[in-house]
Amino acid sequence: MAAKEDLYSKILPRRLRQNRPGSVKCGSNLDVLLSMGFPRPRALKALVSTGGRSVQAACDWLFSHVDDPFLDDPLPREFVLYLRPSGPLQNQLSHFWQQSRVTCGKNKAHNIFPHITLCQFFMCADHKVEALCEALQATVQQWRGRFPSPLPLELYTSSNFIGLFVEEQVADILKQFAADFATEAARKAEVHVEPHKKQLHVTLAYNFPTNHLPSLEKLAKGIEVKLGCDWLAVLFSRDIRFANHETLRVMYPYMPQNEDELELVPGDFVFMSPVDQSSTSEGWVYGTSLASGLSGLLPENYVSLADESDTWVFHGSHSFFSCGPSDRTSKERGMFDGLLDSRRPDNTSPGDTPTLSLICHPMQQVLRISGSHTRQPKRTLFVCRHGERMDVVFGKHWLSLCSDSKGRYVRSNLNMPPSLPLWGDKRDYDMDAPITVFGSTQARVVGEALLESNTVIDFVYCSPSLRCVQTAQNILKGLQQDGKLKVRIEPGLFEWTKWVSGNSLPAWIPPTDLAAAHFSVDTTYRPLIPVSKLTVSEPYENYMSRSYQVTKDILSDCKNTGNNVLIVAHASSLEACTRQLQGRSPQSAKDFIQVVRKIPYLGFCSCEEQGDTGVWQLVDPPIAPLTHGPNHSFDWRETLLQE
């Protein structure tokens, strides 16, 4: 297949094309895609999945789905035919939709825009979709002048349902239109359409708490059902695989840190089935991306519940009263073109600007306080997570991969360090894993960035974990302070001991042994919280209290001798060492875990003291975030020699 740039170069510029009224025929677009070298099934799938909007939209879809395991699956999409109001009545219904959501929260009716259902969902093969659209256009043309106007609607309410029902005799006329469409669709597209047999209605609200009925009913009575309305016959489709899934909107970006995780891009949608969640960890869900077709695990609080129709594809609308082009005006087309994702997330407005915003870029600090701040000599606390861990990359049995028959260290992968400190002494590497070569590189890059930003570090405090000590050492190398600035090993900075496996804490390498192994550590430093004070499986409250206390003591000890303190510790440290320092109460353990999950290797945050008030505040770090992608293991025999 040609390169992406080559494919785009074959698309005619918009200004050179002849402008034609109405919708763009898939046939002409299909010819262009075929001339580019795309297989016919893929080209048709791309056109149908984008509503036949343009060649460029189809190309973009194909490139984003290049790794989609279902790209060549012949499974057809599901289609549905609705009557959708327009004009003054539509404005009233939209107002009801908005006000009911604000007043009472979301109910099931909000999943789909205001409509009257004319048929059940039905399947249509990709190569028959153009004929299906022609069948709808032909049926509407036959009904021009016969369609009842206005549609008489009557309000009906029950304990958990509110709707506008079409008068029975008129409803029979609409059902005849649906039957005619079914006949035409069978003739032109060879599909089976089952017209709606139940009472025709516009659902206003359903499946809501009983105590919301008075408020919803009051809003519904404010709808003037006799207002003018041009009813449009609209055709939509959805991916049949996700018909019974929940639809989630991606709110924050996320780069996978493990092979089974899903990349998240804001604006994308994720389909999630409760059936697939039985084996997921707390705070994580398993889903499939609409944009890429890939599936994987994702952080639950990076997404929010979306409306079902947000991911539906629009295939055309036709008026029973207008004799103009089959597609509506460009304004109308813009409302429905492709995905229906124009709605705002719940509980947000254009003016919403939270003081505290979560920053979810993969290599960015997790917390940021908005607003500018001066660069005067203030006391600043930097907190940084360690680099990439050996046991995370190569698994918990990584030691067996780098030991020969005589027990000597031999690396079997270029991302394993050439040597490990004190290997011959049989250190507790199972419980105290080192960082990878790439972890060392991450740390040096951060140190170099601090040097480039003219950031001065006066003191470095570090968790006793080897991965943290190695990270601090490499940050100092990047800062060109290796050997000049000594790292103070502080056991009080170790992570929440509940996360330690087994019944004992790791046997950390003592500072004197680290110094003998050429680590730049301060062997004269006396810990504020000695190892003997740490307990296994400590309560969450104890961990937060310990982290806050040791951070305060560190800042107090350094107050008159330096301005900038760097703590190199764990993902949890970015939250635990700064939250109470700002005068904020600890979160619940569950919320704390969700925050920690977002903090990547070398996640970095800055906290400044506001004058001599003792009040600290999170501010923009002096360095940019660090982002990179995964690099999976490669076995050339398995990959290149397979038959």
Side-chain angles (χ1 to χ4, degrees), residues 356-426:
L356 179 67
S357 53
L358 286 176
I359 303 300
C360 305
H361 289 289
M363 284 298 173
Q364 196 160 356
Q365 69 284 0
V366 165
L367 299 170
R368 175 180 290 171
I369 294 293
S370 303
S372 60
H373 57 278
T374 58
R375 287 296 180 188
Q376 299 171 355
K378 294 183 178 181
R379 297 182 68 208
T380 305
L381 171 68
F382 302 115
V383 187
C384 180
R385 187 190 176 188
H386 58 76
E388 183 181 77
R389 296 171 53 158
M390 284 275 282
D391 54 345
V392 171
V393 175
F394 298 106
K396 61 181 180 180
H397 301 299
W398 65 274
L399 281 169
S400 63
L401 302 176
C402 50
S403 299
D404 64 12
S405 58
K406 296 182 179 180
R408 293 173 297 191
Y409 176 80
V410 179
R411 68 172 179 172
S412 59
N413 189 286
L414 292 179
N415 199 23
M416 293 179 174
S419 62
L420 287 179
L422 308 171
W423 174 267
D425 290 348
K426 303 297 182 185

Side-chain angles (χ1 to χ4, degrees), residues 281-462:
S281 304
E282 182 180 4
W284 291 76
V285 297
Y286 185 87
T288 302
S289 163
L290 171 68
S292 68
L294 300 177
S295 301
L297 294 168
L298 57 134
E300 186 176 19
N301 56 344
Y302 276 44
V303 293
S304 65
L305 197 60
D307 298 336
E308 180 184 349
S309 61
D310 283 346
T311 60
W312 290 3
V313 174
F314 172 66
H315 294 276
S317 65
H318 306 274
S319 170
F320 292 92
F321 307 108
S322 170
C323 294
S326 60
D327 278 334
R328 303 300 293 172
T329 63
S330 59
K331 180 179 179 181
E332 180 81 33
R333 177 86 178 176
M335 292 174 63
F336 285 98
D337 229 356
L339 302 181
L340 304 181
D341 61 353
S342 58
R343 280 181 284 274
R344 294 183 179 279
D346 292 353
N347 305 320
T348 63
S349 66
D352 286 344
T353 307
T355 304
L356 179 67
S357 53
L358 286 176
I359 303 300
C360 305
H361 289 289
M363 284 298 173
Q364 196 160 356
Q365 69 284 0
V366 165
L367 299 170
R368 175 180 290 171
I369 294 293
S370 303
S372 60
H373 57 278
T374 58
R375 287 296 180 188
Q376 299 171 355
K378 294 183 178 181
R379 297 182 68 208
T380 305
L381 171 68
F382 302 115
V383 187
C384 180
R385 187 190 176 188
H386 58 76
E388 183 181 77
R389 296 171 53 158
M390 284 275 282
D391 54 345
V392 171
V393 175
F394 298 106
K396 61 181 180 180
H397 301 299
W398 65 274
L399 281 169
S400 63
L401 302 176
C402 50
S403 299
D404 64 12
S405 58
K406 296 182 179 180
R408 293 173 297 191
Y409 176 80
V410 179
R411 68 172 179 172
S412 59
N413 189 286
L414 292 179
N415 199 23
M416 293 179 174
S419 62
L420 287 179
L422 308 171
W423 174 267
D425 290 348
K426 303 297 182 185
R427 292 295 175 180
D428 192 11
Y429 287 116
D430 272 331
M431 296 280 287
D432 189 22
I435 59 176
T436 62
V437 170
F438 191 67
S440 300
T441 303
Q442 292 171 319
R444 281 198 301 274
V445 167
V446 167
E448 290 166 358
L450 289 170
L451 178 65
E452 187 177 338
S453 67
N454 297 315
T455 300
V456 176
I457 302 296
D458 298 302
F459 297 97
V460 180
Y461 287 79
C462 184

Side-chain angles (χ1 to χ4, degrees), residues 181-294:
F181 167 69
T183 301
E184 191 72 10
R187 187 177 69 85
K188 286 182 175 291
E190 299 178 346
V191 298
H192 176 70
V193 178
E194 185 69 31
H196 200 56
K197 292 183 172 61
K198 298 180 180 180
Q199 290 179 287
L200 301 187
H201 61 275
V202 178
T203 301
L204 297 179
Y206 79 98
N207 198 17
F208 51 83
T210 307
N211 61 319
H212 289 170
L213 178 60
S215 299
L216 292 171
E217 190 173 21
K218 181 179 179 180
L219 287 170
K221 288 180 178 179
I223 300 174
E224 299 180 50
V225 296
K226 295 183 180 180
L227 285 174
C229 179
D230 182 1
W231 289 89
L232 307 173
V234 293
L235 189 65
F236 289 91
S237 74
R238 67 183 181 185
D239 192 323
I240 192 173
R241 294 175 298 155
F242 308 117
N244 297 314
H245 288 52
E246 286 189 0
T247 304
L248 308 174
R249 184 192 301 270
V250 176
M251 305 302 295
Y252 307 107
Y254 177 77
M255 284 296 294
Q257 299 184 38
N258 295 289
E259 291 186 9
D260 58 352
E261 294 176 3
L262 182 66
E263 180 179 0
L264 300 181
V265 178
D268 188 12
F269 292 90
V270 173
F271 300 107
M272 186 271 289
S273 172
V275 178
D276 297 331
Q277 310 310 313
S278 57
S279 60
T280 58
S281 304
E282 182 180 4
W284 291 76
V285 297
Y286 185 87
T288 302
S289 163
L290 171 68
S292 68
L294 300 177

